[in-house]
């Protein structure tokens, strides 16, 4: 037997229960609580046949488990015991993980990561917020692997990568003949992930008409496949992620507030790589080891001065580029500029010398011209597509989420463009 009883008064006092223990005001009790309302020998906890039981010792005030008065009851992990004015909680130590599988050298982020031990073992929805490339998918995977659902499937759906019809089919499934190309019945992610975790990546790009259906699916734990009248019960834990500002999208009428608050039970804000530079070298060594390549001290120091707008994904790509351009070489400081993307080099690094800043300013001027050209290309395609962001993103060869970010960057308000004059643009 490996149970603990914790006193819930902020003192964090705990007692291990191996065989038995009596709770009461008397000094002979193994768990002595000298307070008014607790009798000398109030109740007894004992282990029998690998189970834990509690028995009230014929008290006037009674003993309560999860709010119900008991004479005798079996105790389980998380049960709440009330003895007079005092509360205890039961911990089954076999079910408690000491540490989350991810950690960080940044104390604040590591504290958040370790709190995910308890988050993982709940069934509450989790919303992961943070810039692209910060590893939200890795975090979702680890939440699943630390959960009680770890032996069941983890399925991922990218809400920005599919059309509205295909997203609905991907989530809820479809019946044969329900739309062009539906040549057979197909299970959706909600059904295929039964008993496990469903990761909804880029939830901010989910088409607005589907948001109400997703909300109903989560709240009612049931779905209806496309083209079917049959309701299917579901059992999945939802982890959603986005790099977008959902509150802003709610104000713009692009995201449902009720869905946001349904997903927003537990929110984790994932920091950018720039905000957790204490972990930079660990990431670099991990990726470099996988690619069988080494970096000199000076090369690493120069890389650490860079702003890393693409976050961990950009670092991983740089190391893959280094392994391709300089196989079996030791990367030196002189290699770094070639490894960083030219576009990224135009963003001034931190801690540059005056000479280096002068070069960065020239690059920034060039970048301004490039940005203006890109802005005009976006405006032209928006006019050509009568404001359709989906078609514009397709024409420009970029994800819709990237286009949305660029519209915000360039201050383009799609609703204020005069499409009537599109031919004269």
């Amino acid at each position: 037997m490996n149970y603990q009883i914790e006193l819930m008064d902020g003192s964090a006092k705990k007692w291990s229960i191996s065989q038995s223990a009596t709770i009461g005001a008397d000094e002979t009790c193994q768990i002595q609580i000298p307070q008014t309302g607790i009798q000398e020998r109030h109740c007894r906890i004992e282990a029998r046949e690998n189970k834990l039981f509690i028995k009230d010792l014929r008290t006037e005030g009674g003993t309560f488990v999860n709010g119900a008065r008991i004479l005798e009851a079996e105790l389980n992990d998380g049960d709440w015991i009330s003895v007079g004015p005092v509360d205890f909680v039961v911990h089954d130590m076999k079910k408690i993980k000491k540490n989350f599988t991810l950690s960080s050298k940044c104390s604040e982020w590591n504290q958040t990561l370790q709190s995910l031990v308890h988050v993982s073992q709940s069934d509450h929805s989790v919303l992961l917020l943070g810039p692209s490339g910060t590893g939200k998918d890795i975090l979702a995977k680890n939440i699943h692997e630390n959960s009680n659902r770890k032996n069941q499937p983890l399925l991922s759906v990218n809400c920005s990568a599919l059309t509205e019809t295909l997203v609905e089919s991907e989530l809820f499934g479809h019946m044969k003949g329900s739309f062009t190309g539906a040549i057979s019945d197909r299970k959706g992610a909600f059904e295929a992930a039964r008993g496990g975790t469903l990761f909804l990546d880029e939830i901010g790009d989910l088409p607005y008409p589907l948001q109400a259906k997703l909300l109903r699916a989560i709240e009612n734990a049931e779905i209806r496949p496309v083209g079917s009248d049959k309701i299917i019960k579901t059992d999945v834990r939802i982890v959603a992620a986005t790099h977008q500002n959902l509150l802003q999208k709610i104000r713009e009428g692009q995201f449902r507030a009720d869905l946001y608050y349904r997903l927003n039970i537990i929110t984790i804000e994932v920091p950018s790589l720039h905000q957790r530079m204490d972990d930079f070298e660990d990431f670099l060594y991990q990726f470099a080891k996988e690619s069988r390549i080494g970096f000199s001290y000076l090369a690493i120091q120069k890389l650490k001065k860079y702003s890393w707008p693409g976050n961990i994904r950009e670092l991983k790509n740089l190391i893959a580029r280094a392994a391709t351009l300089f196989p079996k070489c030791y990367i030196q400081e002189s290699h770094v500029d070639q490894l960083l993307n030219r576009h990224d080099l135009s963003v001034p690094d931190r801690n540059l010398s005056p000479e280096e800043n002068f070069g960065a300013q020239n690059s920034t001027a060039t970048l301004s011209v490039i940005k203006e050209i890109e802005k005009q290309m976006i405006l032209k395609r928006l006019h050509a597509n009568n404001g359709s962001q989906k078609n514009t993103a397709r024409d420009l060869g970029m994800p819709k989420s990237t286009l949305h970010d660029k519209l915000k960057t360039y201050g383009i308000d799609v609703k204020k463009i005069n499409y009537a004059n599109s031919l004269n643009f």
Side-chain angles (χ1 to χ4, degrees), residues 28-94:
T28 61
C29 294
Q30 288 80 11
I31 302 177
Q32 184 188 17
I33 309 293
Q35 288 198 26
T36 303
I38 298 179
Q39 296 189 202
E40 296 295 307
R41 297 171 64 82
H42 200 106
C43 59
R44 182 175 177 81
I45 298 174
E46 58 185 37
R48 300 198 303 265
E49 300 176 352
N50 291 322
K51 295 181 179 180
L52 196 66
F53 295 86
I54 185 169
K55 182 177 182 180
D56 181 70
L57 299 179
R58 299 182 180 180
T59 60
E60 293 181 4
T63 300
F64 295 78
V65 176
N66 300 327
R69 184 167 183 169
I70 56 95
L71 295 177
E72 182 173 341
E74 182 182 346
L75 293 174
N76 295 295
D77 181 57
D79 280 349
W80 201 273
I81 302 170
S82 297
V83 178
V86 178
D87 294 323
F88 303 84
V89 67
V90 179
H91 298 301
D92 183 347
M93 303 308 292
K94 298 191 299 296

Side-chain angles (χ1 to χ4, degrees), residues 30 58 123 160 277 284 373:
Q30 288 80 11
R58 299 182 180 180
D123 274 338
S160 68
M277 288 302 288
L284 184 141
I373 293 172

Side-chain angles (χ1 to χ4, degrees), residues 157-169 171-172 201-215 244 249 253-256 259 390 400:
V157 175
N158 189 327
C159 299
S160 68
L162 302 170
T163 64
E164 182 175 328
T165 302
L166 290 180
V167 170
E168 185 171 9
S169 170
L171 290 175
F172 309 130
D201 198 10
E202 295 300 347
I203 189 70
D205 287 328
L206 187 69
Y208 194 87
L210 274 182
Q211 293 175 22
K213 295 182 180 180
L214 176 61
L215 176 63
Q244 301 195 47
K249 289 182 73 73
Q254 297 178 356
F255 201 84
R256 294 181 64 100
L259 176 58
K390 181 173 70 174
K400 186 179 175 183

Side-chain angles (χ1 to χ4, degrees), residues 200-255:
L200 301 177
D201 198 10
E202 295 300 347
I203 189 70
D205 287 328
L206 187 69
Y208 194 87
L210 274 182
Q211 293 175 22
K213 295 182 180 180
L214 176 61
L215 176 63
R216 287 197 298 271
I218 297 173
E219 291 201 326
N220 301 332
E222 61 183 29
I223 58 169
R224 187 175 68 181
V226 179
S228 173
D229 294 329
K230 182 181 178 182
I231 298 297
I232 299 174
K233 283 292 182 181
T234 64
D235 174 22
V236 295
R237 195 260 185 94
I238 300 294
V239 178
T242 183
H243 71 284
Q244 301 195 47
N245 185 332
L246 293 185
L247 292 176
Q248 179 64 30
K249 289 182 73 73
I250 290 171
R251 287 191 287 268
E252 294 171 353
Q254 297 178 356
F255 201 84

Side-chain angles (χ1 to χ4, degrees), residues 190-203:
F190 268 89
E191 194 173 356
R194 181 175 297 277
T197 303
L198 179 56
F199 176 48
L200 301 177
D201 198 10
E202 295 300 347
I203 189 70

